[in-house]
Amino acid sequence: MRRAAGPSFGVLIFLVLAFGLGVYFTFAAVQGDYGLFRRVELSAQEKTLQAELDRLNAQIDEMENLTRRLSDGYLDLDLLDQQARSVLGLLRSDEIVVR
């Protein structure tokens, strides 16, 4: 009795399954929810959100400074004059308005 010279059918199925699993896991590692591309996308989004957070924190600091300068305990007369002019449209009697 002679055996076939080529690989058996079971070995061929095993190799095809191993190759398929390897391709699947490689694709998932690159394109999946936790893959490399998603990580790069989240990194870029994190940088954008951090920049926006820094900008908003700067605005908050500016508003807190203005609020403190107009409070009862510390009154900045120049700032009060500026706010009265811009918000209420007040003018002194010796000023001329140019439009």
Side-chain angles (χ1 to χ4, degrees):
M1 283 204 325
R2 281 186 127 171
R3 297 189 85 186
S8 67
F9 187 67
V11 172
L12 187 60
I13 290 178
F14 174 76
L15 290 175
V16 168
L17 281 175
F19 179 75
L21 285 174
V23 168
Y24 171 75
F25 285 120
T26 302
F27 179 78
V30 173
Q31 294 280 349
D33 291 340
Y34 302 103
L36 295 174
F37 290 150
R38 180 70 175 152
R39 180 177 291 226
V40 169
E41 180 183 334
L42 289 176
S43 259
Q45 185 178 12
E46 178 187 10
K47 288 178 185 176
T48 303
L49 291 174
Q50 186 64 42
E52 184 178 352
L53 178 64
D54 292 342
R55 183 182 57 79
L56 290 174
N57 281 334
Q59 280 183 342
I60 288 172
D61 291 341
E62 182 181 345
M63 286 184 211
E64 285 176 349
N65 182 27
L66 291 175
T67 303
R68 183 182 61 79
R69 288 171 55 195
L70 288 174
S71 67
D72 291 338
Y74 179 93
L75 183 60
D76 186 356
L77 294 177
D78 290 333
L79 181 62
L80 181 62
D81 183 54
Q82 176 188 354
Q83 290 296 318
R85 289 170 184 272
S86 66
V87 174
L88 300 176
L90 296 179
L91 298 172
R92 291 192 301 235
S93 61
D94 62 343
E95 292 180 335
I96 299 173
V97 177
V98 177
R99 290 184 182 224

